Each structure stands twice: as C-alpha cells, then as structure tokens.
Amino acid sequence: MPGYTVTVTVRLKEGVLDPEAETTQRALERLGFEIADLRSADQFELDLTAGDADSARQRAEEMTERLLANPTIHDYELAVDER
Amino acid sequence: MTVAVVQFGGSNCDRDTVQALEHLGAESRLVWHEDGLPEDTTGIVLPGGFSYGDYLRAGAMAARSPVMEAVRAAVESGTPLLGICNGAQIGCEGGLTPGAFTTNRSARFQCEHVHVRVENANTRFTRHYEEGDVLELPIAHGEGRFEIGAERLETLGARDRVLFRYCDADGNVTDDANPNGSMDNMAGILGERDHVAVLMPHPERATLPGLGTTDGGNILRGFADP
C-alpha cells in the first residue's frame, strides 16, 4: 500500500482567547518588530499507509477528532501528501 | 461509600484527597489506573496533578486511558464522580462534563487562594452549603480557563449546572475576581448527570485543619455522603 504523510494543523477557533500567542506577540514587539496580529497552531505529521489518499485522510481525521483536537475549542485542517 | 481515587502517572493530589476523605470519615483508597476500578467502588475521584505531563492538552491522555472506560461505565450506573483540577480537565476531555479547561488568561501557572460563590446548593456536591455562600479555596493551575460554545453556555446556566463562580470576598462575581478568564467566572460545573461534577479549585487542600481554610470540606462531604 502507498505511504502518505498527513499534516494535521490544529488551531483555536476564532474568538477563543490565546494567551500564549498574545504573550509571543508582545515579546516580538518588545524586540522592535511591528506586527498586526499573531496566531499560533499545533501541527502534527502522521506517516501512515493506506489504500488511497482518501482513506489516509479519513483515518487521520478520525485520529484528530478522537485525540489531536478538542472540538470545544479547536478547528483543524488536513493536508495529504504521498510519501 | 468506598471512594476510588484514580492515580495516573503525574497525579499529585491523590494522597491529599484520600487523607481529606478519611478525615471526613469516608473510606477511600488509591487506585492505580492500570489496575482498573475495584468492584466495591461507590464513588470516584479524579484527582489533581499533571497526568502524562500535561502532554498535548492537560488531561487529554488520561481521558483516553483504558481505566476511563470503567469510570464511564460506573458513572452510567450511578456512581458519583468528582474531578478536581487535573481531574476536571480529564472529565471535560473525556466528555463526562461539557466544555474545556485551557490556558489561563495570564498565560501563567497560578497558585493562590480565591473565593467562589455557591451558585446552586441543590446538588450532591453543594448540599451542605447555602446558595450564595462564599468559600475560600486554593487554586493551582496553568490551564483553568473554562471555555464552552455559546449555545452550551446558555444551557449550563438555564439548567442550573453551574456549581461555583469565582467572586470577591463579598460574593460579587466580577472580572477582577476571575483568576483565569473562565467564561462567566465558572469554577465548577455539573455534567449531564447530577452525580458528576468537576471543579478547578482544590477542596482537598481546604479540608484538614491547619491549612488556612476548611471551606472545601463540605464539597467532599457532600460528594461522599450517601
């Protein structure tokens, strides 16, 4: 079966406060950089084998729903690449 | 009641909880998560600490560990459950209670005494208080900011699922008295079932004499009483 890398990006839903991002932004500003906004996200790369790209995506989506993201506060997106 | 205090790697309020419960006359024991729940378990505490090093999100790993299947089954059959601090994070991550606890508004770990107001005294966990009572309790968390979708937030309020709100010493629920930025100052809530509750403050650190406040004892007493 072909190998895939599914890249899962998990970020806070719009409107959910992100104190770590705010602190990081302030630190950049203290270093003299001008910045309008800063958002942070977690990224996971899953190497797996699957029959095709769709089933690779489906499995990664299930993993994301079950563990990697918390649907109360997170949105996520997936990108599938053949390995 | 025989209370099982479930220990995960990284739990660190487990012994305090047993000691506080025993002080109140409630039989309790430490249960290592890999050993499963003892058959005679009639109450469950998910204690505070840093299970699995808070990897991914606080409580995320413990909430998906095998013992939680047994915990869920026990809760389904009516066994009361109290999640404290990391245990509250585990409860929300595991879907026993709605919402999520995430990074404090300050982005810092906060270890301090706070005040909470009893919002609903008509629950197992608050029955030894009066509505409006103000309790002084310790908090110690970095991820205690309660977040929930707007729709479910309304449901919580409308159904009296809020046990405690952060307040000042006089019982005023203000933004200044909100230590971590929790939505609507929520410090403790009920789950879908009336015998399931989670809270971020530590009642087990406010039960034994000599610790500055014993205001939390009645939470544990209410939980453990028949």
Side-chain angles (χ1 to χ4, degrees):
Chain A
M1 282 203 286
Y4 295 93
T5 297
V6 185
T7 304
V8 183
T9 305
V10 177
R11 61 179 86 247
L12 286 169
K13 283 183 175 166
E14 209 178 315
V16 177
L17 186 72
D18 188 347
E20 288 182 8
E22 286 178 9
T23 306
T24 309
Q25 179 172 349
R26 279 201 300 278
L28 282 172
E29 287 164 349
R30 263 201 307 277
L31 291 171
F33 294 104
E34 278 184 30
I35 184 171
D37 196 14
L38 181 149
R39 291 170 294 282
S40 68
D42 289 325
Q43 196 168 76
F44 305 88
E45 292 177 0
L46 310 171
D47 291 344
L48 45 87
T49 54
D52 55 37
D54 274 350
S55 64
R57 172 182 292 275
Q58 204 174 349
R59 277 174 48 206
E61 192 164 337
E62 195 185 338
M63 293 181 219
T64 306
E65 295 267 346
R66 291 277 298 276
L67 176 65
L68 300 179
N70 179 333
T72 302
I73 50 173
H74 290 138
D75 285 330
Y76 63 88
E77 54 199 51
L78 307 180
V80 185
D81 292 300
E82 201 156 344
R83 190 150 48 90
Chain B
M1 177 180 268
T2 307
V3 179
V5 178
V6 183
Q7 289 178 301
F8 297 94
S11 297
N12 67 4
C13 303
D14 41 351
R15 288 180 179 80
D16 310 48
T17 305
V18 167
Q19 204 176 343
L21 285 166
E22 296 280 346
H23 173 76
L24 298 171
E27 198 184 318
S28 61
R29 69 178 71 152
L30 298 172
V31 174
W32 177 241
H33 71 101
E34 287 180 340
D35 296 339
L37 285 182
E39 273 186 24
D40 61 350
T41 298
T42 51
I44 300 168
V45 174
L46 302 175
F50 301 86
S51 57
Y52 297 89
D54 281 350
Y55 289 175
L56 194 63
R57 298 175 301 276
M61 300 295 167
R64 290 155 181 88
S65 64
V67 73
M68 289 303 288
E69 290 306 316
V71 167
R72 217 166 264 121
V75 163
E76 290 288 319
S77 66
T79 305
L81 178 139
L82 176 63
I84 302 168
C85 196
N86 189 224
Q89 296 160 337
I90 294 168
C92 282
E93 277 282 340
L96 292 168
T97 46
F101 291 100
T102 187
T103 313
N104 292 349
R105 178 168 56 184
S106 65
R108 291 183 186 152
F109 187 89
Q110 288 172 251
C111 185
E112 60 201 51
H113 279 215
V114 299
H115 293 94
V116 299
R117 191 175 77 186
V118 177
E119 299 292 278
N120 176 359
N122 191 24
T123 79
R124 176 180 199 96
F125 306 90
T126 51
R127 54 184 153 161
H128 297 311
Y129 301 100
E130 302 288 330
E131 191 178 313
D133 278 356
V134 176
L135 320 180
E136 182 188 338
L137 297 173
I139 57 165
H141 59 245
E143 297 180 42
R145 175 168 57 98
F146 186 70
E147 286 280 349
I148 190 167
E151 204 171 286
R152 300 200 74 182
L153 177 70
E154 272 180 37
T155 316
L156 275 184
R159 292 180 52 212
D160 282 335
R161 311 310 281 176
V162 184
L163 296 174
F164 304 105
R165 281 197 167 87
Y166 298 109
C167 65
D168 65 19
D170 299 320
N172 302 303
V173 175
T174 64
D175 194 46
D176 281 347
N178 187 344
N180 51 29
S182 287
M183 269 193 177
D184 280 8
N185 286 46
M186 282 190 268
I189 56 163
L190 284 178
E192 281 297 309
R193 291 160 186 275
D194 291 348
H195 58 272
V196 176
V198 298
L199 66 159
M200 286 313 292
H202 287 273
E204 82 284 10
R205 297 187 191 180
T207 295
L208 298 164
L211 294 177
T213 164
T214 53
D215 287 358
N218 276 338
I219 300 174
L220 298 180
R221 189 177 280 123
F223 157 70
D225 278 352

